[in-house]
């Protein structure tokens, strides 16, 4: 079982930046893929970035070069640094934990946080 709690959302203007964090608590030594997803109103939940147990990182094409995912093992915290934000980045952002083979498919992730809202205004 994995508990995930996001924080750090907020409102910024286009071109601004936000940093999201997700506290990760696992009841075992199993190593998980950890990912960020987002969901805008009326749209499907989409994968944004993932870091798998061997350290490999993948990003959705829409955020490459602007978003940075990182894992602070000492603090058991997953982070997402977002810069040069646009209104299209406005969404509820979720962190998720899944098996080591999971990438950016939401159906691969059994554990989810409650989400944190990021709103970008023009």
């Amino acid at each position: 079982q994995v508990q995930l709690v996001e924080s750090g959302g907020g409102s910024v203007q286009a071109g601004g930046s936000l940093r999201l964090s997700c506290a990760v608590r696992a009841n075992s030594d199993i190593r998980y893929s950890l990912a960020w997803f987002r969901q805008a109103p009326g749209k499907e939940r989409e994968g944004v970035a993932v870091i798998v147990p061997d350290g490999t990182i993948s990003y959705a094409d829409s955020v490459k070069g602007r978003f940075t995912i990182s894992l602070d093992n000492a603090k058991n915290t997953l982070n997402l640094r977002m810069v040069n934000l646009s209104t299209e980045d406005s969404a509820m952002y979720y962190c998720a934990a899944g098996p080591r083979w999971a990438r950016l498919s939401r159906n691969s992730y059994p554990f989810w946080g409650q989400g944190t809202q990021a709103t970008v205004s023009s």
Side-chain angles (χ1 to χ4, degrees), residues 13-97:
Q13 290 189 326
S17 61
L18 283 173
R19 181 184 178 90
L20 307 181
S21 294
C22 175
V24 182
R25 179 178 297 178
N27 295 338
S28 70
D29 293 331
I30 296 173
R31 299 181 69 191
Y32 294 90
S33 286
L34 297 172
W36 286 98
F37 287 77
R38 66 185 181 185
Q39 188 167 18
K43 294 187 177 181
E44 293 187 349
R45 190 170 299 188
E46 63 174 351
V48 173
V50 59
I51 182 166
V52 302
D54 68 2
T56 301
I57 289 173
S58 299
Y59 296 97
D61 288 342
S62 59
V63 306
K64 283 181 180 177
R66 301 188 300 119
F67 289 15
T68 303
I69 189 172
S70 63
L71 179 62
D72 185 334
N73 286 303
K75 296 181 179 180
N76 292 327
T77 301
L78 180 71
N79 300 302
L80 185 68
R81 175 68 172 167
M82 308 186 293
V83 301
N84 194 22
L85 288 162
S86 73
T87 56
E88 295 183 352
D89 295 314
S90 292
M92 185 72 78
Y93 282 75
Y94 300 89
C95 66

